[in-house]
Amino acid sequence: MDVQAFWNVIGHYNERTWIIQIVLLVFMISAIALSYMQKVQWSAKFLLGIANIFIGIGFFGWYGTEPIQAYFALPLYLFVGTLFLFESWYSKNDVLKKPDILQAILLLLYLFYPVVSMLLGNSFPQMVTYIMPCPVITLSIAVYAGYNRKNKLLLVLLTVWGLTGIKSIIFQAYEDVILFVCGLYGIALLISEIKQPRAKQ
């Protein structure tokens, strides 16, 4: 996949879905806020599930043009979204703790995604917005890290995509360094989750 094809997909997606993106962003931020306030514990997972499924179908399934988007990214996002929906039901009472310093930094970096994209010389529609693959995974990792119970498979899938942030250099999408940082954080979370059962023994 060449650089121009990468940015063309982004441009077509943004031009035709910007209204849906705004609506989804409002609902997603509201749901996450409700979970952080411990009003509706499952709402953050539920809306992150919807957002990831939307990215899978809308960005990769509908506007994607390359095999890697259809055969890797599309199923990955559908799987991530489905697991989030499952977790919103299976662990619906799990408390979302207030973000620690590192999680707060990652959440802040998510908010700066479009700003960084514009500072790098991009403009709408060929720029990174909040409801796009890499920002949504960044937000997913930052928020999911705050839950006590974590699905290891979901965490692995989030981390795998997070580590694809290394492509920021290849596709001149340097804002995705943010995603790569989240991928490294995902590795740390995984190690912690793997060690946790042993610590309880």
Side-chain angles (χ1 to χ4, degrees), residues 36-87:
Y36 273 126
M37 292 186 294
Q38 299 185 11
K39 300 292 186 182
V40 187
Q41 304 292 3
W42 53 268
S43 61
K45 294 177 186 175
F46 184 80
L47 262 296
L48 287 173
I50 297 297
N52 277 281
I53 289 173
F54 173 75
I55 293 296
I57 296 172
F59 189 93
F60 294 113
W62 193 261
Y63 294 105
T65 58
E66 304 298 316
I68 193 170
Q69 294 175 325
Y71 299 112
F72 172 65
L74 171 59
L76 185 145
Y77 272 83
L78 292 181
F79 204 4
V80 165
T82 301
L83 285 173
F84 263 124
L85 294 180
F86 172 76
E87 285 295 305

Side-chain angles (χ1 to χ4, degrees), residues 6-7 9-26 28-29 51 54-55 58-59 63 77 109-120 122-139 161 173 175-176 178-179:
F6 173 82
W7 285 105
V9 170
I10 290 175
H12 293 150
Y13 166 80
N14 280 336
E15 280 182 333
R16 296 161 191 173
T17 67
W18 65 271
I19 294 177
I20 300 174
Q21 288 187 55
I22 292 172
V23 172
L24 186 53
L25 179 65
V26 170
M28 190 169 63
I29 297 301
F54 173 75
I55 293 296
F59 189 93
Y63 294 105
Y77 272 83
L109 288 175
Y110 167 78
L111 293 176
F112 275 107
Y113 238 112
V115 176
V116 173
S117 190
M118 287 187 288
L119 289 175
L120 289 169
N122 301 312
S123 59
F124 192 86
Q126 290 194 349
M127 62 171 286
V128 178
T129 58
Y130 290 119
I131 308 297
M132 284 186 59
C134 299
V136 165
I137 291 292
T138 295
L139 182 63
W161 190 266
E175 49 270 76
D176 280 343
I178 296 171
L179 176 68

